[in-house]
PDB file of all heavy atoms in Angstrom:
ATOM      1  N   LEU F   1     -63.180 -26.698  51.586  1.00 98.00           N
ATOM      2  CA  LEU F   1     -63.266 -27.958  52.309  1.00 98.00           C
ATOM      3  C   LEU F   1     -63.471 -27.652  53.775  1.00 98.00           C
ATOM      4  O   LEU F   1     -62.590 -27.130  54.436  1.00 98.00           O
ATOM      5  CB  LEU F   1     -61.947 -28.772  52.095  1.00 98.00           C
ATOM      6  CG  LEU F   1     -62.017 -30.181  52.759  1.00 98.00           C
ATOM      7  CD1 LEU F   1     -63.025 -31.067  52.002  1.00 98.00           C
ATOM      8  CD2 LEU F   1     -60.595 -30.844  52.718  1.00 98.00           C
ATOM      9  N   GLN F   2     -64.679 -27.881  54.237  1.00 98.00           N
ATOM     10  CA  GLN F   2     -65.023 -27.734  55.683  1.00 98.00           C
ATOM     11  C   GLN F   2     -64.531 -28.985  56.388  1.00 98.00           C
ATOM     12  O   GLN F   2     -65.089 -30.102  56.068  1.00 98.00           O
ATOM     13  CB  GLN F   2     -66.444 -27.437  55.879  1.00 98.00           C
ATOM     14  CG  GLN F   2     -66.889 -27.283  57.347  1.00 98.00           C
ATOM     15  CD  GLN F   2     -66.302 -26.073  57.969  1.00 98.00           C
ATOM     16  OE1 GLN F   2     -66.280 -25.007  57.479  1.00 98.00           O
ATOM     17  NE2 GLN F   2     -65.790 -26.268  59.200  1.00 98.00           N
ATOM     18  N   MET F   3     -63.700 -28.905  57.380  1.00 98.00           N
ATOM     19  CA  MET F   3     -63.186 -30.058  58.147  1.00 98.00           C
ATOM     20  C   MET F   3     -63.592 -29.942  59.520  1.00 98.00           C
ATOM     21  O   MET F   3     -63.192 -29.002  60.264  1.00 98.00           O
ATOM     22  CB  MET F   3     -61.691 -30.115  57.929  1.00 98.00           C
ATOM     23  CG  MET F   3     -61.180 -30.116  56.461  1.00 98.00           C
ATOM     24  SD  MET F   3     -59.392 -30.437  56.342  1.00 98.00           S
ATOM     25  CE  MET F   3     -58.773 -28.980  57.235  1.00 98.00           C
ATOM     26  N   ASN F   4     -64.450 -30.897  59.952  1.00 98.00           N
ATOM     27  CA  ASN F   4     -64.933 -30.905  61.339  1.00 98.00           C
ATOM     28  C   ASN F   4     -64.392 -32.176  62.075  1.00 98.00           C
ATOM     29  O   ASN F   4     -63.965 -33.161  61.422  1.00 98.00           O
ATOM     30  CB  ASN F   4     -66.409 -30.892  61.380  1.00 98.00           C
ATOM     31  CG  ASN F   4     -66.982 -29.592  60.825  1.00 98.00           C
ATOM     32  OD1 ASN F   4     -66.455 -28.521  60.866  1.00 98.00           O
ATOM     33  ND2 ASN F   4     -68.188 -29.751  60.281  1.00 98.00           N
ATOM     34  N   ASN F   5     -64.404 -32.154  63.388  1.00 98.00           N
ATOM     35  CA  ASN F   5     -63.993 -33.288  64.171  1.00 98.00           C
ATOM     36  C   ASN F   5     -62.644 -33.777  63.691  1.00 98.00           C
ATOM     37  O   ASN F   5     -62.358 -34.986  63.441  1.00 98.00           O
ATOM     38  CB  ASN F   5     -65.006 -34.412  64.120  1.00 98.00           C
ATOM     39  CG  ASN F   5     -64.756 -35.539  65.121  1.00 98.00           C
ATOM     40  OD1 ASN F   5     -64.089 -35.303  66.085  1.00 98.00           O
ATOM     41  ND2 ASN F   5     -65.312 -36.666  64.807  1.00 98.00           N
ATOM     42  N   LEU F   6     -61.710 -32.853  63.550  1.00 98.00           N
ATOM     43  CA  LEU F   6     -60.455 -33.140  63.092  1.00 98.00           C
ATOM     44  C   LEU F   6     -59.695 -34.186  64.019  1.00 98.00           C
ATOM     45  O   LEU F   6     -59.873 -34.152  65.221  1.00 98.00           O
ATOM     46  CB  LEU F   6     -59.530 -31.904  62.944  1.00 98.00           C
ATOM     47  CG  LEU F   6     -59.897 -31.112  61.696  1.00 98.00           C
ATOM     48  CD1 LEU F   6     -59.384 -29.642  61.901  1.00 98.00           C
ATOM     49  CD2 LEU F   6     -59.326 -31.734  60.484  1.00 98.00           C
ATOM     50  N   LYS F   7     -58.850 -35.040  63.342  1.00 98.00           N
ATOM     51  CA  LYS F   7     -58.102 -36.057  64.046  1.00 98.00           C
ATOM     52  C   LYS F   7     -56.620 -35.851  63.827  1.00 98.00           C
ATOM     53  O   LYS F   7     -56.276 -35.288  62.711  1.00 98.00           O
ATOM     54  CB  LYS F   7     -58.503 -37.414  63.596  1.00 98.00           C
ATOM     55  CG  LYS F   7     -59.994 -37.714  63.815  1.00 98.00           C
ATOM     56  CD  LYS F   7     -60.382 -39.146  63.257  1.00 98.00           C
ATOM     57  CE  LYS F   7     -61.839 -39.406  63.513  1.00 98.00           C
ATOM     58  NZ  LYS F   7     -62.151 -40.755  63.000  1.00 98.00           N
ATOM     59  N   PRO F   8     -55.644 -36.298  64.593  1.00 97.00           N
ATOM     60  CA  PRO F   8     -54.266 -36.201  64.331  1.00 97.00           C
ATOM     61  C   PRO F   8     -53.867 -36.762  62.989  1.00 97.00           C
ATOM     62  O   PRO F   8     -52.975 -36.207  62.373  1.00 97.00           O
ATOM     63  CB  PRO F   8     -53.650 -36.864  65.510  1.00 97.00           C
ATOM     64  CG  PRO F   8     -54.660 -36.775  66.631  1.00 97.00           C
ATOM     65  CD  PRO F   8     -55.926 -36.853  65.998  1.00 97.00           C
ATOM     66  N   GLU F   9     -54.552 -37.802  62.579  1.00 96.00           N
ATOM     67  CA  GLU F   9     -54.222 -38.421  61.326  1.00 96.00           C
ATOM     68  C   GLU F   9     -54.617 -37.580  60.099  1.00 96.00           C
ATOM     69  O   GLU F   9     -54.263 -37.932  58.962  1.00 96.00           O
ATOM     70  CB  GLU F   9     -54.764 -39.806  61.129  1.00 96.00           C
ATOM     71  CG  GLU F   9     -56.263 -39.923  61.495  1.00 96.00           C
ATOM     72  CD  GLU F   9     -56.597 -40.336  62.918  1.00 96.00           C
ATOM     73  OE1 GLU F   9     -55.864 -39.822  63.797  1.00 96.00           O
ATOM     74  OE2 GLU F   9     -57.525 -41.121  63.112  1.00 96.00           O
ATOM     75  N   ASP F  10     -55.367 -36.501  60.336  1.00 98.00           N
ATOM     76  CA  ASP F  10     -55.654 -35.555  59.250  1.00 98.00           C
ATOM     77  C   ASP F  10     -54.495 -34.590  58.961  1.00 98.00           C
ATOM     78  O   ASP F  10     -54.551 -33.788  58.008  1.00 98.00           O
ATOM     79  CB  ASP F  10     -56.895 -34.740  59.609  1.00 98.00           C
ATOM     80  CG  ASP F  10     -58.171 -35.556  59.701  1.00 98.00           C
ATOM     81  OD1 ASP F  10     -58.354 -36.500  58.894  1.00 98.00           O
ATOM     82  OD2 ASP F  10     -58.959 -35.371  60.637  1.00 98.00           O
ATOM     83  N   THR F  11     -53.462 -34.542  59.790  1.00 98.00           N
ATOM     84  CA  THR F  11     -52.356 -33.720  59.595  1.00 98.00           C
ATOM     85  C   THR F  11     -51.648 -34.017  58.279  1.00 98.00           C
ATOM     86  O   THR F  11     -51.339 -35.153  57.969  1.00 98.00           O
ATOM     87  CB  THR F  11     -51.335 -33.961  60.699  1.00 98.00           C
ATOM     88  OG1 THR F  11     -51.914 -33.530  61.979  1.00 98.00           O
ATOM     89  CG2 THR F  11     -50.033 -33.173  60.494  1.00 98.00           C
ATOM     90  N   ALA F  12     -51.566 -32.907  57.471  1.00 98.00           N
ATOM     91  CA  ALA F  12     -51.028 -33.099  56.112  1.00 98.00           C
ATOM     92  C   ALA F  12     -50.959 -31.755  55.392  1.00 98.00           C
ATOM     93  O   ALA F  12     -51.585 -30.791  55.900  1.00 98.00           O
ATOM     94  CB  ALA F  12     -51.853 -34.099  55.261  1.00 98.00           C
ATOM     95  N   LEU F  13     -50.337 -31.721  54.277  1.00 98.00           N
ATOM     96  CA  LEU F  13     -50.451 -30.640  53.343  1.00 98.00           C
ATOM     97  C   LEU F  13     -51.545 -30.857  52.404  1.00 98.00           C
ATOM     98  O   LEU F  13     -51.589 -31.919  51.754  1.00 98.00           O
ATOM     99  CB  LEU F  13     -49.056 -30.485  52.603  1.00 98.00           C
ATOM    100  CG  LEU F  13     -48.770 -29.208  51.837  1.00 98.00           C
ATOM    101  CD1 LEU F  13     -48.898 -27.989  52.721  1.00 98.00           C
ATOM    102  CD2 LEU F  13     -47.409 -29.210  51.224  1.00 98.00           C
ATOM    103  N   TYR F  14     -52.513 -29.926  52.372  1.00 98.00           N
ATOM    104  CA  TYR F  14     -53.754 -30.098  51.563  1.00 98.00           C
ATOM    105  C   TYR F  14     -53.626 -29.288  50.271  1.00 98.00           C
ATOM    106  O   TYR F  14     -53.196 -28.090  50.255  1.00 98.00           O
ATOM    107  CB  TYR F  14     -54.932 -29.693  52.336  1.00 98.00           C
ATOM    108  CG  TYR F  14     -55.315 -30.685  53.424  1.00 98.00           C
ATOM    109  CD1 TYR F  14     -54.561 -30.904  54.524  1.00 98.00           C
ATOM    110  CD2 TYR F  14     -56.486 -31.451  53.241  1.00 98.00           C
ATOM    111  CE1 TYR F  14     -54.941 -31.828  55.458  1.00 98.00           C
ATOM    112  CE2 TYR F  14     -56.843 -32.364  54.112  1.00 98.00           C
ATOM    113  CZ  TYR F  14     -56.059 -32.607  55.291  1.00 98.00           C
ATOM    114  OH  TYR F  14     -56.497 -33.532  56.164  1.00 98.00           O
ATOM    115  N   TYR F  15     -53.982 -29.991  49.170  1.00 98.00           N
ATOM    116  CA  TYR F  15     -54.002 -29.349  47.843  1.00 98.00           C
ATOM    117  C   TYR F  15     -55.358 -29.469  47.175  1.00 98.00           C
ATOM    118  O   TYR F  15     -56.161 -30.445  47.532  1.00 98.00           O
ATOM    119  CB  TYR F  15     -53.008 -30.029  46.976  1.00 98.00           C
ATOM    120  CG  TYR F  15     -51.567 -30.063  47.415  1.00 98.00           C
ATOM    121  CD1 TYR F  15     -51.177 -31.159  48.249  1.00 98.00           C
ATOM    122  CD2 TYR F  15     -50.668 -29.177  47.029  1.00 98.00           C
ATOM    123  CE1 TYR F  15     -49.812 -31.239  48.695  1.00 98.00           C
ATOM    124  CE2 TYR F  15     -49.339 -29.219  47.424  1.00 98.00           C
ATOM    125  CZ  TYR F  15     -48.911 -30.298  48.233  1.00 98.00           C
ATOM    126  OH  TYR F  15     -47.620 -30.382  48.644  1.00 98.00           O
ATOM    127  N   CYS F  16     -55.643 -28.608  46.184  1.00 97.00           N
ATOM    128  CA  CYS F  16     -56.772 -28.808  45.300  1.00 97.00           C
ATOM    129  C   CYS F  16     -56.246 -29.006  43.899  1.00 97.00           C
ATOM    130  O   CYS F  16     -55.210 -28.502  43.557  1.00 97.00           O
ATOM    131  CB  CYS F  16     -57.767 -27.691  45.429  1.00 97.00           C
ATOM    132  SG  CYS F  16     -57.052 -26.108  44.947  1.00 97.00           S
ATOM    133  N   ASN F  17     -57.083 -29.605  43.013  1.00 97.00           N
ATOM    134  CA  ASN F  17     -56.769 -29.764  41.662  1.00 97.00           C
ATOM    135  C   ASN F  17     -57.953 -30.407  40.901  1.00 97.00           C
ATOM    136  O   ASN F  17     -58.890 -30.940  41.517  1.00 97.00           O
ATOM    137  CB  ASN F  17     -55.493 -30.550  41.434  1.00 97.00           C
ATOM    138  CG  ASN F  17     -54.716 -30.102  40.261  1.00 97.00           C
ATOM    139  OD1 ASN F  17     -55.259 -29.588  39.245  1.00 97.00           O
ATOM    140  ND2 ASN F  17     -53.362 -30.236  40.295  1.00 97.00           N
ATOM    141  N   SER F  18     -57.909 -30.323  39.572  1.00 94.00           N
ATOM    142  CA  SER F  18     -58.822 -31.011  38.758  1.00 94.00           C
ATOM    143  C   SER F  18     -58.473 -32.446  38.678  1.00 94.00           C
ATOM    144  O   SER F  18     -57.332 -32.799  38.339  1.00 94.00           O
ATOM    145  CB  SER F  18     -58.845 -30.424  37.378  1.00 94.00           C
ATOM    146  OG  SER F  18     -59.574 -31.196  36.470  1.00 94.00           O
ATOM    147  N   PRO F  19     -59.341 -33.388  38.975  1.00 93.00           N
ATOM    148  CA  PRO F  19     -59.039 -34.806  38.948  1.00 93.00           C
ATOM    149  C   PRO F  19     -58.851 -35.354  37.576  1.00 93.00           C
ATOM    150  O   PRO F  19     -58.098 -36.336  37.342  1.00 93.00           O
ATOM    151  CB  PRO F  19     -60.169 -35.526  39.762  1.00 93.00           C
ATOM    152  CG  PRO F  19     -61.249 -34.552  39.550  1.00 93.00           C
ATOM    153  CD  PRO F  19     -60.733 -33.160  39.504  1.00 93.00           C
ATOM    154  N   SER F  20     -59.504 -34.724  36.586  1.00 89.00           N
ATOM    155  CA  SER F  20     -59.454 -35.338  35.195  1.00 89.00           C
ATOM    156  C   SER F  20     -58.268 -34.896  34.436  1.00 89.00           C
ATOM    157  O   SER F  20     -57.588 -35.641  33.772  1.00 89.00           O
ATOM    158  CB  SER F  20     -60.744 -34.994  34.519  1.00 89.00           C
ATOM    159  OG  SER F  20     -61.032 -33.618  34.436  1.00 89.00           O
ATOM    160  N   ARG F  21     -58.025 -33.577  34.515  1.00 86.00           N
ATOM    161  CA  ARG F  21     -56.834 -33.015  33.792  1.00 86.00           C
ATOM    162  C   ARG F  21     -56.147 -32.037  34.673  1.00 86.00           C
ATOM    163  O   ARG F  21     -56.323 -30.861  34.618  1.00 86.00           O
ATOM    164  CB  ARG F  21     -57.295 -32.310  32.515  1.00 86.00           C
ATOM    165  CG  ARG F  21     -58.067 -33.234  31.526  1.00 86.00           C
ATOM    166  CD  ARG F  21     -58.450 -32.489  30.271  1.00 86.00           C
ATOM    167  NE  ARG F  21     -57.351 -31.989  29.516  1.00 86.00           N
ATOM    168  CZ  ARG F  21     -57.541 -31.309  28.385  1.00 86.00           C
ATOM    169  NH1 ARG F  21     -58.729 -31.011  27.951  1.00 86.00           N
ATOM    170  NH2 ARG F  21     -56.491 -30.877  27.730  1.00 86.00           N
ATOM    171  N   PRO F  22     -55.320 -32.650  35.601  1.00 90.00           N
ATOM    172  CA  PRO F  22     -54.690 -31.774  36.646  1.00 90.00           C
ATOM    173  C   PRO F  22     -53.822 -30.653  36.064  1.00 90.00           C
ATOM    174  O   PRO F  22     -53.056 -30.821  35.059  1.00 90.00           O
ATOM    175  CB  PRO F  22     -53.833 -32.759  37.402  1.00 90.00           C
ATOM    176  CG  PRO F  22     -54.409 -34.058  37.188  1.00 90.00           C
ATOM    177  CD  PRO F  22     -54.977 -34.001  35.736  1.00 90.00           C
ATOM    178  N   TRP F  23     -53.901 -29.535  36.751  1.00 92.00           N
ATOM    179  CA  TRP F  23     -53.075 -28.408  36.447  1.00 92.00           C
ATOM    180  C   TRP F  23     -51.854 -28.502  37.261  1.00 92.00           C
ATOM    181  O   TRP F  23     -51.679 -29.448  38.087  1.00 92.00           O
ATOM    182  CB  TRP F  23     -53.714 -27.044  36.730  1.00 92.00           C
ATOM    183  CG  TRP F  23     -54.989 -26.826  35.946  1.00 92.00           C
ATOM    184  CD1 TRP F  23     -55.059 -26.693  34.609  1.00 92.00           C
ATOM    185  CD2 TRP F  23     -56.359 -26.690  36.390  1.00 92.00           C
ATOM    186  NE1 TRP F  23     -56.388 -26.526  34.183  1.00 92.00           N
ATOM    187  CE2 TRP F  23     -57.232 -26.546  35.378  1.00 92.00           C
ATOM    188  CE3 TRP F  23     -56.930 -26.754  37.705  1.00 92.00           C
ATOM    189  CZ2 TRP F  23     -58.523 -26.392  35.456  1.00 92.00           C
ATOM    190  CZ3 TRP F  23     -58.262 -26.651  37.831  1.00 92.00           C
ATOM    191  CH2 TRP F  23     -59.101 -26.454  36.721  1.00 92.00           C
ATOM    192  N   THR F  24     -50.841 -27.509  37.134  1.00 94.00           N
ATOM    193  CA  THR F  24     -49.702 -27.553  38.003  1.00 94.00           C
ATOM    194  C   THR F  24     -50.148 -27.408  39.411  1.00 94.00           C
ATOM    195  O   THR F  24     -50.980 -26.509  39.744  1.00 94.00           O
ATOM    196  CB  THR F  24     -48.804 -26.389  37.633  1.00 94.00           C
ATOM    197  OG1 THR F  24     -48.327 -26.600  36.224  1.00 94.00           O
ATOM    198  CG2 THR F  24     -47.544 -26.372  38.546  1.00 94.00           C
ATOM    199  N   TRP F  25     -49.587 -28.163  40.307  1.00 95.00           N
ATOM    200  CA  TRP F  25     -50.095 -28.132  41.717  1.00 95.00           C
ATOM    201  C   TRP F  25     -49.615 -26.878  42.402  1.00 95.00           C
ATOM    202  O   TRP F  25     -48.617 -26.295  42.141  1.00 95.00           O
ATOM    203  CB  TRP F  25     -49.445 -29.361  42.453  1.00 95.00           C
ATOM    204  CG  TRP F  25     -49.953 -30.643  42.040  1.00 95.00           C
ATOM    205  CD1 TRP F  25     -49.420 -31.400  41.049  1.00 95.00           C
ATOM    206  CD2 TRP F  25     -51.098 -31.349  42.540  1.00 95.00           C
ATOM    207  NE1 TRP F  25     -50.211 -32.534  40.876  1.00 95.00           N
ATOM    208  CE2 TRP F  25     -51.251 -32.511  41.784  1.00 95.00           C
ATOM    209  CE3 TRP F  25     -52.025 -31.050  43.565  1.00 95.00           C
ATOM    210  CZ2 TRP F  25     -52.206 -33.398  42.082  1.00 95.00           C
ATOM    211  CZ3 TRP F  25     -53.099 -32.042  43.793  1.00 95.00           C
ATOM    212  CH2 TRP F  25     -53.195 -33.169  43.097  1.00 95.00           C
ATOM    213  N   GLY F  26     -50.496 -26.383  43.286  1.00 95.00           N
ATOM    214  CA  GLY F  26     -50.259 -25.195  44.064  1.00 95.00           C
ATOM    215  C   GLY F  26     -49.282 -25.501  45.185  1.00 95.00           C
ATOM    216  O   GLY F  26     -48.786 -26.597  45.343  1.00 95.00           O
ATOM    217  N   GLN F  27     -49.150 -24.498  46.113  1.00 97.00           N
ATOM    218  CA  GLN F  27     -48.205 -24.660  47.247  1.00 97.00           C
ATOM    219  C   GLN F  27     -48.880 -25.474  48.320  1.00 97.00           C
ATOM    220  O   GLN F  27     -48.170 -26.011  49.196  1.00 97.00           O
ATOM    221  CB  GLN F  27     -47.883 -23.300  47.791  1.00 97.00           C
ATOM    222  CG  GLN F  27     -47.267 -22.309  46.855  1.00 97.00           C
ATOM    223  CD  GLN F  27     -45.761 -22.404  46.851  1.00 97.00           C
ATOM    224  OE1 GLN F  27     -45.186 -23.369  47.467  1.00 97.00           O
ATOM    225  NE2 GLN F  27     -45.124 -21.608  46.114  1.00 97.00           N
TER     226      GLN F  27
END
């Protein structure tokens, strides 16, 4: 995920996963 022109409201913990059949979430 390339994130450009970041804004303060982008502050968060970011995760990846399969949207259809999610696996256990990572850290």
Side-chain angles (χ1 to χ4, degrees):
L1 186 68
Q2 177 68 43
M3 306 187 296
N4 298 329
N5 191 20
L6 283 162
K7 302 177 179 181
E9 51 264 42
D10 296 319
T11 295
L13 192 56
Y14 283 71
Y15 303 88
C16 62
N17 213 326
S18 167
S20 56
R21 297 179 66 180
W23 299 296
T24 300
W25 293 89
Q27 302 272 7

